Amino acid sequence: MDSFTRAGLDFSTGDHGPADGDVVVCLHGFPQGPEAYDAVVPRLVAGGLRVLVPEQRGYGARARPPRRRDYALPELVADVVALLDAATPTRPARPVHLVGHDWGGVVAWALAATHPERLASLTVLSQAHPAAYRRAVTSSTQGLRSTYVGFFQLPLLPERLLLARGGELLSASLRRSGLPADLAAGYARRHSAPGSLRAALGWYRALPFARPVGDVEVATTYLHGRRDPFYARAAVDRTADHVRGPYRHVELDTGHWVPELAPQAVADAVLSAAGRRA
């Protein structure tokens, strides 16, 4: 498959590996795209897995609704459920291995909490469990680390500033957070398309429509970079409180951009969860 549809939206989707392989779904974050997993995918395919990497809501020109509420978390989760149904139409109940980074991690946590029967395993990259994150905002440095979220709530101004002079500020901010210059420039170019950055920021602007994310019973691996500037230690450590199933926390010597900078660690975690040799 190269795309799937839901609610009149068309989502471009990379489909890699054997059609009959166990399915892995990789969800990107902000301001990435499916290319965030370019170095992970071939490692998973070499392990015999089928890997689906969708361009999520707002990131593709044919899946870019106009309203803030269209980017609320239940909609984002429903998109992934639609992908699962479209990818395995003859065996929709077969559980998949779900991977999510950053905002894709939020979607992954929420899907695992609401549709545990659809997942064989959960691998979350960087993103603390949303309930642990919320608690940490008022009891640690998490609030200071998340000031950009408030900035993104402003209408129009973030887009104008971040995209000025060919996306110079967006690219520079990504470099400062630890992303290599070529990848930072690539993500800035991605959002130079009309309406692209506004739609991506819609995920943040839909936070008033968010619902709490419950605890997870799915077997979970949480990969966290110890030099990640966006998550306080309190949020990282409290994530374990919200996983009732088997849980493994792997701390990496990296920053926020785990799929780009630690692809082997990501692949090893997923292959291990799938019972394949890492």
Side-chain angles (χ1 to χ4, degrees), residues 14 34 62 78 84 96 139 223 234 267:
R62 298 189 302 275
L84 303 186
V96 307
S139 62
L223 274 65

Side-chain angles (χ1 to χ4, degrees), residues 166-187:
E168 180 179 312
L169 181 58
L170 176 57
S171 181
S173 65
L174 293 174
R175 293 196 305 272
R176 284 195 300 271
S177 70
L179 193 65
D182 58 333
L183 297 177
Y187 292 151

Side-chain angles (χ1 to χ4, degrees), residues 119-135:
L119 302 186
S121 73
L122 173 66
T123 303
V124 181
L125 316 175
S126 303
Q127 176 65 52
H129 187 283
Y133 175 94
R134 188 173 61 251
R135 288 169 58 202

Side-chain angles (χ1 to χ4, degrees), residues 22 38 55 65 84 90 124 153 174 254 265 268:
D22 290 342
D38 280 355
E55 192 172 45
L84 303 186
T90 61
V124 181
Q153 302 303 312
L174 293 174
T254 185
D268 287 348

Side-chain angles (χ1 to χ4, degrees), residues 137-212:
V137 166
T138 58
S139 62
S140 71
T141 62
Q142 188 60 64
L144 291 174
R145 293 169 184 262
S146 302
T147 53
Y148 66 93
V149 176
F151 171 63
F152 287 167
Q153 302 303 312
L154 299 175
L156 302 176
L157 182 61
E159 293 95 311
R160 290 176 179 173
L161 290 178
L162 291 172
L163 295 178
R165 296 193 294 274
E168 180 179 312
L169 181 58
L170 176 57
S171 181
S173 65
L174 293 174
R175 293 196 305 272
R176 284 195 300 271
S177 70
L179 193 65
D182 58 333
L183 297 177
Y187 292 151
R189 283 194 301 272
R190 160 178 278 279
H191 292 294
S192 66
S196 177
L197 185 58
R198 178 176 182 270
L201 291 173
W203 291 48
Y204 292 93
R205 291 167 177 163
L207 284 172
F209 305 101
R211 300 174 184 172

Side-chain angles (χ1 to χ4, degrees), residues 81 84-85 88 91-97 111 115-120:
V81 172
L84 303 186
D85 291 342
T88 57
R91 49 184 187 182
R94 185 175 181 181
V96 307
H97 302 280
L111 195 150
H115 299 279
E117 75 284 355
R118 303 305 301 264
L119 302 186

Side-chain angles (χ1 to χ4, degrees), residues 3-81:
S3 67
F4 70 98
T5 60
R6 175 180 173 262
L9 304 178
D10 186 21
F11 298 84
S12 175
T13 303
D15 189 346
H16 313 272
D20 61 348
D22 290 342
V23 175
V24 178
V25 175
C26 297
L27 305 178
H28 64 81
F30 174 87
Q32 302 151 303
E35 61 270 27
Y37 289 96
D38 280 355
V40 177
V41 169
R43 291 170 163 87
L44 297 179
V45 170
L49 300 174
R50 179 187 179 193
V51 187
L52 304 176
V53 192
E55 192 172 45
Q56 294 193 86
R57 178 174 290 238
Y59 285 79
R62 298 189 302 275
R64 197 168 283 163
R67 303 177 305 170
R68 283 194 308 158
R69 70 182 63 222
D70 293 325
Y71 296 89
L73 188 55
E75 294 292 338
L76 307 175
V77 170
D79 292 341
V80 181
V81 172

